[in-house]
Amino acid sequence: MKKVGIITYHFAQNYGAVLQCYALQTYLSQRGYDVTVFDFVSEKQKKNNDIVKHGISVKTAVANICLLPFARSIRKKHARFAIFCQKNLHLTPHFSTVEALQKYIEENKYDVIVSGSDQVLNPNIDDFEMAFLYPFQTTAKKIAYAASTGNASPDDIRKIQCYLDDFSKISIREQKDIGKFDTEMVARLSVVCDPVMLLRADAWNNMLNKPSGKPYLICYFLHKKLFREEFAIAQKIAKDRGLELKVINARFGPNSFRKGTIFDAGPGEFVNLIANSSYVCTDSFHGTLFSLVFHKQFSCLDTKQNRHDTRKKGLLESVGAAAAYQNVEDPLKICSTLNYKEIDCQMEEIRKSAAKFLEILNE
């Protein structure tokens, strides 16, 4: 049995980051690999993800005071993230330095070490660490799976690209990212799906409860500046369909005081809320992806001003679900026409492509 290690943003208080890690680990484990997730969290990353923000600035003090009304919910949410990871991720001992990670990989004789998915190739993210690039010599085969560059420019990528030279195989998550690499590297790149798509709906059943209460529309919005417009759209759709309105709180702030807000959902609760909903409104890539996995009628919200992040639109177009895409500036459309028989066929082809890429683990 080949030994495989994964490094990614498994530690983040972010549903997509944790669940894509779980999905890749589960997919590989189901195929007979001995899979672990490297519990690498640097001191900088730890501070970035602490419940209480550290520092002596006025901005930090004000932020902590503003969070006081939500303190109990924040603690419960963080606890649920921690419990989910402890229960569902096959974590190694904790590391905070590249040297400790390298030593562990060599001592435990890993056959393959994987970087990704998520934005492990985006040096602009506060939580980025060189450890994602395995910047050391090792007998283990290095691969990148569905890595994303996020908002990194070609110049940003040029600074880290040399660390990919000794990777046996490299795949990225977004077609648009290909142009950020030089010609030689482009010849080595594959485009594959986010790990969440690798698992069909039944693979998530262990997180689901039987639906109870009134049918509801679930909202999951990441963009603070768009919240008012997005929420107004969700209200209209909920009213039109006679649905209760619920909101998964992504950012604590003034919008968190709205009726129907769910403050303390962990990764399992997040999956459950989408799976049992009657309609989904989201501006999130992973919110969109889970809507597709669970065959939801949904609205994927965006703005015409967004010229950089085309992940959601690209995903919908690739599976034939573009009808779910809605710019907030456009007249309201309620999506109720998604043909999941056709969408599933497209998703199966994408899964086959990813499976073919991952055959490198057997070589």
Side-chain angles (χ1 to χ4, degrees):
M1 183 184 292
K2 286 198 172 182
K3 197 164 189 176
V4 180
I6 300 170
I7 192 167
T8 187
Y9 291 97
H10 73 284
F11 55 85
Q13 299 292 305
N14 177 286
Y15 302 112
V18 172
L19 291 167
Q20 62 81 20
C21 179
Y22 167 81
L24 183 58
Q25 172 198 273
T26 301
Y27 180 84
L28 296 178
S29 296
Q30 289 174 345
R31 278 145 189 81
Y33 300 106
D34 178 12
V35 187
T36 49
V37 175
F38 295 127
D39 192 16
F40 180 92
V41 186
S42 70
E43 289 303 313
K44 181 183 77 172
Q45 290 170 334
K46 184 176 181 297
K47 288 180 181 178
N48 286 346
N49 289 275
D50 276 349
I51 298 176
V52 177
K53 301 305 175 186
H54 300 278
I56 57 175
S57 69
V58 173
K59 183 178 179 181
T60 300
V62 170
N64 286 328
I65 291 170
C66 290
L67 289 174
L68 283 176
F70 311 109
R72 184 177 179 184
S73 295
I74 292 172
R75 285 195 297 269
K76 188 172 182 180
K77 179 179 178 180
H78 277 242
R80 281 177 163 170
F81 267 86
I83 291 168
F84 180 91
C85 292
Q86 291 164 9
K87 180 180 177 182
N88 295 287
L89 299 184
H90 306 151
L91 295 172
T92 66
H94 170 70
F95 319 110
S96 59
T97 66
V98 170
E99 293 75 18
L101 174 64
Q102 179 183 10
K103 182 180 178 183
Y104 186 85
I105 289 170
E106 292 305 309
E107 288 180 347
N108 288 273
K109 297 180 170 54
Y110 278 84
D111 298 295
V112 183
I113 50 177
V114 183
S115 178
S117 179
D118 221 328
Q119 295 187 44
V120 292
L121 295 184
N122 184 4
N124 292 335
I125 286 185
D126 288 341
D127 280 335
F128 177 79
E129 288 287 346
M130 291 303 296
F132 294 139
L133 304 175
Y134 298 122
F136 45 77
Q137 294 297 314
T138 174
T139 56
K141 184 183 298 182
K142 301 177 185 178
I143 73 168
Y145 181 79
S148 177
T149 67
N151 64 357
S153 68
D155 286 340
D156 295 325
I157 298 302
R158 199 171 296 118
K159 296 173 185 176
I160 63 172
Q161 186 176 295
C162 62
Y163 294 100
L164 298 175
D165 290 343
D166 64 347
F167 274 57
S168 298
K169 215 164 183 180
I170 304 164
S171 62
I172 57 177
R173 195 176 63 185
E174 283 93 41
Q175 184 76 33
K176 69 174 180 59
D177 285 350
I178 289 179
K180 298 180 181 181
F181 296 85
D182 64 29
T183 305
E184 185 177 342
M185 183 61 70
V186 167
R188 300 179 57 201
L189 295 178
S190 301
V191 179
V192 297
C193 63
D194 185 278
V196 167
M197 192 188 290
L198 293 175
L199 301 185
R200 298 170 186 84
D202 58 0
W204 299 97
N205 282 345
N206 64 313
M207 298 183 197
L208 306 186
N209 299 318
K210 289 184 179 180
S212 60
K214 298 178 181 178
Y216 62 88
L217 181 154
I218 193 71
C219 301
Y220 179 54
F221 301 139
L222 296 179
H223 300 292
K224 282 184 179 180
K225 293 180 180 179
L226 285 181
F227 186 93
R228 182 173 296 179
E229 293 91 336
E230 292 175 334
F231 188 75
I233 289 172
Q235 284 181 308
K236 291 175 183 176
I237 297 174
K239 183 178 180 180
D240 178 86
R241 295 201 153 201
L243 300 173
E244 184 180 349
L245 191 57
K246 296 183 180 183
V247 182
I248 299 173
N249 191 68
R251 303 275 191 273
F252 284 94
N255 293 317
S256 301
F257 290 98
R258 291 181 183 272
K259 182 181 178 181
T261 301
I262 300 166
F263 303 103
D264 54 9
E269 290 77 19
F270 175 85
V271 173
N272 191 71
L273 284 163
I274 291 181
N276 287 323
S277 67
S278 297
Y279 198 95
V280 179
C281 284
T282 186
D283 61 13
S284 150
F285 174 81
H286 283 105
T288 300
L289 188 45
F290 272 107
S291 298
L292 291 169
V293 168
F294 288 116
H295 289 187
K296 297 299 167 181
Q297 299 298 328
F298 68 102
S299 295
C300 173
L301 304 179
D302 209 338
T303 173
K304 292 178 180 178
Q305 297 175 12
N306 177 16
R307 299 182 179 88
H308 303 290
D309 186 356
T310 59
R311 294 178 300 159
K312 302 187 295 292
K313 191 173 185 180
L315 168 63
L316 293 172
E317 289 174 347
S318 72
V319 299
Y325 190 78
Q326 164 87 61
N327 279 316
V328 296
E329 298 91 346
D330 292 340
L332 173 66
K333 60 179 181 180
I334 301 177
C335 183
S336 57
T337 59
L338 295 181
N339 183 337
Y340 274 102
K341 186 175 180 179
E342 295 180 4
I343 291 170
D344 280 346
C345 288
Q346 295 297 324
M347 291 176 73
E348 283 303 316
E349 290 302 311
I350 293 171
R351 289 184 181 113
K352 287 178 184 177
S353 178
K356 186 174 181 180
F357 173 85
L358 288 167
E359 288 175 1
I360 183 69
L361 274 69
N362 292 321
E363 296 174 6

